[in-house]
Amino acid sequence: MSFLLGPISGALVAGGVYYGFSNLIQTRTEQHIKDLHALSVRLVETPTLVHAPPSAATRIKPRTFTSEVKSQWNHEVAAIFRGVHDLDKRAVEWGRSLLYGPSKVEEKSKPSTSSS
């Protein structure tokens, strides 16, 4: 009879462990099903209007006078930079013509002063 006691006690322990894990898995699965259902209902039934603060773009008030002054300032500064750039190009061309003589483009554009 003692040779049956070991396998029977092992089967009882294994059955208890199996029942415990099975019950744990089943209860957690049911809880996950309930949680997912609650979340899906909450997702479907949420109102489409969300009460949020207005966006940053709508909170910025236009300042017409200051924007006009800034625009005019930027225009004037750009004109100064264009003028300095053109002056620099003319100075480079003048220096090149002093060192290497007038370029062929300048010779063609100048009217000829030769007498016939």
Side-chain angles (χ1 to χ4, degrees):
M1 202 63 167
S2 67
F3 66 90
L4 290 176
L5 188 61
I8 290 175
S9 64
L12 278 173
V13 169
V17 169
Y18 173 77
Y19 176 76
F21 278 122
S22 175
N23 192 18
L24 178 69
I25 291 171
Q26 184 179 5
T27 55
R28 286 203 178 171
T29 303
E30 288 174 2
Q31 186 61 40
H32 287 307
I33 289 171
K34 288 177 186 174
D35 290 343
L36 284 174
H37 179 70
L39 287 173
S40 66
V41 166
R42 194 170 142 202
L43 181 67
V44 170
E45 294 179 356
T46 56
T48 57
L49 178 65
V50 177
H51 299 289
S55 67
T58 60
R59 289 183 281 164
I60 296 173
K61 303 291 184 233
R63 297 181 179 172
T64 56
F65 178 72
T66 56
S67 63
E68 183 64 32
V69 169
K70 287 178 185 177
S71 174
Q72 188 64 30
W73 171 262
N74 290 338
H75 178 71
E76 294 296 326
V77 169
I80 290 171
F81 274 97
R82 273 193 306 273
V84 169
H85 179 70
D86 292 341
L87 182 65
D88 181 54
K89 283 173 64 175
R90 283 186 280 159
V92 167
E93 289 298 323
W94 178 75
R96 187 174 291 143
S97 68
L98 280 179
L99 289 174
Y100 304 113
S103 66
K104 296 186 191 281
V105 175
E106 290 177 7
E107 290 175 355
K108 289 182 181 178
S109 64
K110 287 184 180 179
S112 61
T113 56
S114 62
S115 59
S116 359

